[in-house]
């Protein structure tokens, strides 16, 4: 599984002075604490600014080496000049004798470096991170890279990196599973009443005025986003049903997409996330796709990947979800994105 993380916004740029700072920053870039993973950090320009970041399961590398070519393609398209590799593992260090070649998963680093070299991407450093320490695969000088490794910063210490990342709005989930759980559908018993309302509304809507229905749903969307901003969490079932049915209208969906670049994007995503988790098939597809859209536009690639997978699982032919999946697969930088005319025209409905 590849989790793409787009380029950091300029205002979120963080100063990294050494490898230890980078090790501390990676979970913020990925959005969770990686386990048994390899992380690719693209470096852009002469000042080596952090660009696109990719996470790949080590098991995926071993099972399907072609995934490395996909990652290399993302890095090239993002304009990366160099790459830093970071391996996260719980493999015992009993074979490590101070020679970096004996570090766990050194074979993965070698294989990845060769592929990146073929793409004219220079690996400037490669690090191994365990639960509490980190090492470099490329340095054997005990003066700067002791055999015992360097300690990983603990969560109870508020470092400059952690403080800057927090100010920039970056957060860390415990692991990828936590992100998955946060998007899981609510138990069926908690979705039954809304499902019945939505189904009944859909049957009536087929005979109604689509323009009027769309306008009513759009007004409810604005109301729901404002409520989220005020801290009101639960959307009433009657309103949620109208929103779910309304989102099946392409123009209504496009109007919601337009909120991604505005000041209320967080509230809009919260509405989409709540609707996705409370909805039943097939009404959950568009809300999950919207969550993926909002997450990608804000640079949260792992969350976007999880949400779009749920949308496509619900409807493998959903064009909107497939578009988002292609965007993620290509590693497109959201800062370069310009909404198509149809989405711009739908804004404000």
């Amino acid at each position: 599984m590849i989790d793409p993380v787009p380029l950091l916004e300029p205002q979120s740029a963080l100063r990294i002075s050494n490898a230890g700072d980078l090790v501390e920053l990676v979970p913020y870039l990925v959005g969770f604490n990686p386990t048994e993973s390899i992380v690719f950090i693209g470096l852009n320009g002469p000042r080596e600014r952090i660009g696109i970041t990719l996470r790949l399961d080590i098991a995926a590398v071993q099972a399907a080496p072609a995934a490395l070519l996909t990652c290399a393609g993302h890095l090239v398209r993002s304009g990366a000049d160099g790459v830093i590799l970071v391996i996260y593992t719980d493999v015992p260090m009993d074979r490590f004798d101070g020679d970096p070649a004996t570090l766990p998963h050194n074979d993965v680093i070698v294989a990845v470096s060769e592929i990146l070299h073929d793409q004219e991407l220079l690996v400037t450093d490669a690090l191994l991170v365990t639960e509490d320490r980190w090492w470099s695969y490329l340095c054997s000088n005990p003066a700067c890279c002791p055999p015992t490794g360097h300690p990983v910063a603990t969560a109870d210490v508020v470092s400059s990196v952690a403080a800057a990342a927090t100010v920039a709005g970056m957060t860390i989930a415990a692991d990828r599973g936590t992100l998955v759980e946060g998007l899981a559908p609510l138990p069926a018993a908690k979705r039954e009443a809304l499902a019945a309302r939505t189904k009944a509304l859909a049957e009536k809507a087929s005979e109604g005025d689509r323009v009027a229905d769309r306008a009513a749903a759009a007004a409810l969307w604005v109301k729901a986003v404002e409520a989220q901003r005020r801290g009101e969490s639960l959307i009433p079932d009657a309103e949620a049903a109208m929103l779910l049915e309304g989102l099946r209208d392409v123009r209504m969906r496009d109007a919601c997409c337009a909120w991604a670049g505005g000041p209320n994007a967080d509230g809009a995503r919260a509405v989409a996330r709540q609707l996705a988790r409370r909805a039943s098939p097939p009404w959950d597809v568009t809300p999950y796709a919207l969550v993926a859209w909002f997450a990608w536009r804000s640079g949260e690639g792992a969350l976007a990947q999880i949400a779009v997978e749920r949308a496509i699982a619900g409807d493998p032919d959903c064009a909107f979800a497939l578009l988002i999946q292609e965007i993620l697969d290509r590693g497109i930088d959201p800062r370069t994105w310009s909404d198509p005319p149809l989405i711009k025209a739908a804004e404000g409905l």
Side-chain angles (χ1 to χ4, degrees), residues 53-73:
T53 303
L54 305 166
R55 187 206 65 87
L56 184 63
D57 293 332
I58 292 176
V61 175
Q62 297 165 336
L68 297 177
L69 292 174
T70 301
C71 290

Side-chain angles (χ1 to χ4, degrees), residues 224-244:
V225 173
E226 291 177 346
Q228 289 297 314
R229 187 176 59 183
R230 294 193 301 268
E232 300 173 17
S233 59
L234 188 65
I235 302 171
D237 276 1
E239 296 180 6
M242 288 188 66
L243 283 168
L244 289 170

Side-chain angles (χ1 to χ4, degrees), residues 34 61 139 198 220 252:
V61 175
C139 179
T198 309
L220 284 178
M252 170 67 184

Side-chain angles (χ1 to χ4, degrees), residues 44-133:
N44 295 66
R47 298 182 64 184
E48 295 189 326
R49 291 185 177 276
I50 292 177
I52 190 171
T53 303
L54 305 166
R55 187 206 65 87
L56 184 63
D57 293 332
I58 292 176
V61 175
Q62 297 165 336
L68 297 177
L69 292 174
T70 301
C71 290
H74 288 343
L75 290 161
V76 170
R77 284 189 293 272
S78 74
D81 303 298
V83 183
I84 296 177
L85 305 175
V86 188
I87 291 274
Y88 284 82
T89 188
D90 292 328
V91 173
M93 300 287 294
D94 53 353
R95 295 181 57 191
F96 179 54
D97 59 8
D99 179 358
T102 63
L103 284 170
H105 298 305
N106 182 65
D107 58 329
V108 175
I109 293 296
V110 171
V112 172
S113 298
E114 290 176 352
I115 288 175
L116 295 177
H117 180 268
D118 290 342
Q119 299 295 321
E120 299 184 352
L121 291 170
L122 175 66
V123 176
T124 63
D125 206 349
L127 308 174
L128 171 72
V129 183
T130 63
E131 182 178 1
D132 57 358
R133 305 194 74 78

Side-chain angles (χ1 to χ4, degrees), residues 173-258:
D175 51 35
R176 194 177 193 276
T178 301
L179 293 181
V180 172
E181 184 178 348
L183 284 180
L186 296 181
K190 293 187 177 182
R191 292 183 283 127
E192 287 177 354
L194 178 57
R197 278 182 177 271
T198 309
K199 184 177 180 180
L201 192 62
E203 292 172 352
K204 293 181 180 180
S206 63
E207 304 172 358
D209 184 344
R210 297 300 298 174
V211 175
D213 290 345
R214 184 191 307 134
L220 284 178
W221 175 268
V222 174
K223 177 183 176 182
V225 173
E226 291 177 346
Q228 289 297 314
R229 187 176 59 183
R230 294 193 301 268
E232 300 173 17
S233 59
L234 188 65
I235 302 171
D237 276 1
E239 296 180 6
M242 288 188 66
L243 283 168
L244 289 170
E245 177 58 22
L247 285 173
R248 300 182 77 183
D249 183 290
V250 173
R251 291 194 64 190
M252 170 67 184
R253 181 205 69 198
D254 288 350
C256 295
C257 286

